Amino acid sequence: MKITNFAVKNYQFTLIMFLLVAVVGILTLFTMPRSEDPATHPPQYLITVIYPGTSPKDMEEQVVKPIENKIYGLENIDKILTTVEDGVVAFEVKFKYGVDVDNKYQEISTEINALKNSELPKDIYQIKTEKISSADVKILQVALVSENASEKKIHDEADKLKTKLEKITNLKNVIYSGIPEQEIRVDLKLDKLAQLRIPLNVVMGSLQSEAADIPGGSIDMDTKVFNVKTSGKFKNEEDVANTVIYNANGKIVYMKDVAEVGYRSQTVDHITRINGHRCVLVSAGMKDNVNITDVQKEFEPILEQTAKELPENIKLVKNFDQANMVSQRLGHLGIDFGLAIILVIITLLPLGTRASVIVMISIPLSLALGLIAMNALGFSLNQLSIVGLVVALGLLVDDSIVVVENIERWLREGHSKKDSVLKGTRQIGLAVVGCTATLIIAFLPLAFLPDVAGEFMRSLPMAVITSVLASMLVALTLVPFLGSKFLKTHDHEGGNIFLQYLQKFLTNSYKGIMPRALKYPKITIGISLVLSVLAFALFSFTGFKLFPTSEKPMFLINIKMPLQSNISESDRVAKIVESELKNHKEITYYTSNVGKGNPQIYYNVHPQDRKPDFAQVFVQLDDEAKPAVKTELIETLREKFKTIPYAKIEVKDFEQGTPIEANIVVRLFGEDPAVLRSLSSQVENILRKQEGTVYVNNELNTYKTDVKVKINKEKARTLGVMTSEVDKVIRLAIAGLPVGDYIDDRGDSRTVTLTLPREKFSTLDALKNLYVNNVQGAPIALNQIATITFETSPTAINHFNKSRFAKVSAMTAKGYYANDLLVDIVPQLDKLKMPQGYSYKLAGEKESEGDALGGNFISVIILSTFLFIAVLLLQFKTFKGIIIVLSIIPLGILGGVIFLLIDGSPMSMVAIIGFIGLSGIQVKNSLLLVDFTNQLRLEGKSIDEAIAIAGETRFLPVVLTSITAICGLIPLALNSNPLIAPLAIVLIGGLISSTILSRIVTPVMYKLIPPSLDIETDNEQNQN
């Protein structure tokens, strides 16, 4: 190995380079971006259109179709999921992975802006386009609590805090919610306008004209330039009240003559409380690639100062601070890391003190190199990358142990220090490179997992790959250099007492088994084949769930009221839920949001937009609460809320991985709403009867009732009334029409709204005594040309890639997995008699699995398999060698699946990562045995003799590396986080079974199909 010779001979250079690595590694550790979860930037976008008072059917015609047609024409579209509800439509647009996320956002924004000015209705309240990314999560949520402060006062304090937080450069999307915005409301007296024969359009035109803010430009005067200031926007209610709206025959009519003008709060559409107390929520997100701990140091002083400056009747409560959760989680993983290192040190005792010190020096340097590489590749320090580093801890010592142990063996045999270091490393060097290559190739598919799941998980395999690659470099350079300086020749050939006892134990353990196994090789292989079949058969008992539930001590309670319930009724039920939560001492905070979802505090749960018949309670337990405590509480609350009448209360835990609306979702495709309604009822019955389902939802099981203003168009035309004018007056009476802006005392722009006198909420009385002006300006009573009726309409309309569908969804109960339930559900769905043109498709977890483990992943697996075989061919030059090495993989799978069953964990994405990584580790161990057996045969030993010597000699480092890996993984296996523990459990189980059985199966396989060797191979190895 030339690199080893260079490192040993130029030891000063080697020393300086690794000191540099140590220093840069420490700096990287403290400066790397830190976050709770990995940052994801999927090419997904959310377009929300808010058009209050518009039925789903009208939304579909006026809004959905134009936008879908335009977006669907863009390149690389993967899917569009459209949800149309009363007054709101949400488009989830997903492009194929690999496109430029920012470019696609610009494309969508451009198309929507073009539509806004052409095909879409002009009076749409809001169109919002957002990128879906992990950066949307709020890292901070505080409540300004007061039972008696005025709306304006608490609003102003929230606005002040928002302004302060916005000045922190690493924060973004600072918002406050739960308090209606202030506006100047102009309550028109239509009877007065009718009496004065002033058309509504004239009033609106006058206000809009006065509200216009048109810069005057600049003029030159001598040597200077002066800006010309024009009238500007409204400043206050007096400006609006004194607006001249009519001037005829010398008579001036002001706005105050025909309307009541004053400051009002906008209609309440979001009510917030914390622990039952009235509050306003202020929340903030964090920009990408920054350290959340550093950001916390910036906002903490602001919160402390604000808490001191608030009036006595307003209190500040910080109920959610992700920085604390990150510090706590990373701290726990840091403790796990420390325990792992202690356990690894103990397992190194048989190597001897000096050899152990060399291995221990290689650990931090390998991790430092890995960290530097991770940082350079743009990964942050998060829960998954740290798990990757802990997993790597158990693997990266392998190379150093193997090299040091081989050097020590040469020293024990009486060779000189120089020969032991250089020749001992050369003898094992090629095997170390081959082992590392196979391990990296095993983890490679995980680094190329497609879709959001792949991006979310990527930092874990990358942490392993970079660290293991670094460990190989350290093992072939630094370890021989340190060995040449610190190791010494041994007086006792057997090594220290720990090594002697370990060697004796291993020899005695296999003394009776190995001769029989080698005597009856076919029976031995037959038994191993039975065990292999058993390993794969056991998978059917584990169940499958792609991603587990979150272990975080928090969950959500969604309150779904009967259709068309108003916000007051939703608030009433929310208070009933609060009264129950108050009785549970383990709950620290419960934050209620009525009429809207809580600001986003979890990376894959997006908040519900405005909906009066919806409420959500964000429940938080103590930071140190165990997942088992949370699960028990969730089950208790589910049982408690099951009997509450007139409301559906869903207690839902957070799920890891890609966002899903429910565990089981059945989409029914077709055009006729009546047929879809019938089919959805049948599917709903199937899901309700299935044991293990809870919270079955069918959006089409009820119709909603709308108030219909039916215009007699012939009569209206006869009287000279335009239909658009009727619509405008109705909109004015119910929701109001924005006609301009004013600048409040804090310098913020607020709305001036033209409406009719009404109470807090609009009622049917708002449609009484309305007048519409005809083309001559004469007032016509609305009841002359229109009648008020009621009509039914669908509750929601859904589109998937422009095709209409209905959906029925269900959550899984505790102890049940969606995939297991679908085994019974799918045959029943297949038996449904669907008319031609109607079909169903599974979504939820099933769709998420398809996205995560789709065609791209299969392609990468195939590519990695060929690379795996190619590396082994380079090592052994024969397919027999590959078969011998790979024969151990099913035996490792046996241990992994048994340990999963013992723990009760299902097969999952992290377990898959465990099994894939396990295959690389097993091959690494088996490769050492086969490689040394080949070397002994090339030295002239017989097959039986080579097998016996290799088994005795190489099994020791195999056992040592396996024990260190297992000890390094034990703290992770004991971790309560279900996203982490299954990975360690699989690896530990697999390492135990493969290490025990490889000592038998690998030698027996070698005897059955010994690889053919030639002198040329020997010469090549000697040249190396």
Side-chain angles (χ1 to χ4, degrees), residues 52 122 128 145 153 182 213 312 364 380 430 474 554-555 589 628 691 738 761 812 914 919 957 981 1003 1014:
K122 304 298 178 190
K128 184 170 58 175
V145 186
K153 184 63 182 171
Q182 296 290 302
D213 188 10
E312 285 187 11
S380 67
L430 202 59
V474 171
M554 58 191 197
F555 57 90
Y589 296 111
E691 184 184 350
F761 300 101
T812 53
S919 65
D1014 53 41

Side-chain angles (χ1 to χ4, degrees), residues 795-810:
T795 56
I797 298 171
N798 303 296
H799 288 191
F800 182 80
N801 288 350
K802 297 176 72 175
S803 298
R804 182 183 282 186
F805 76 92
K807 66 181 174 186
V808 185
S809 62

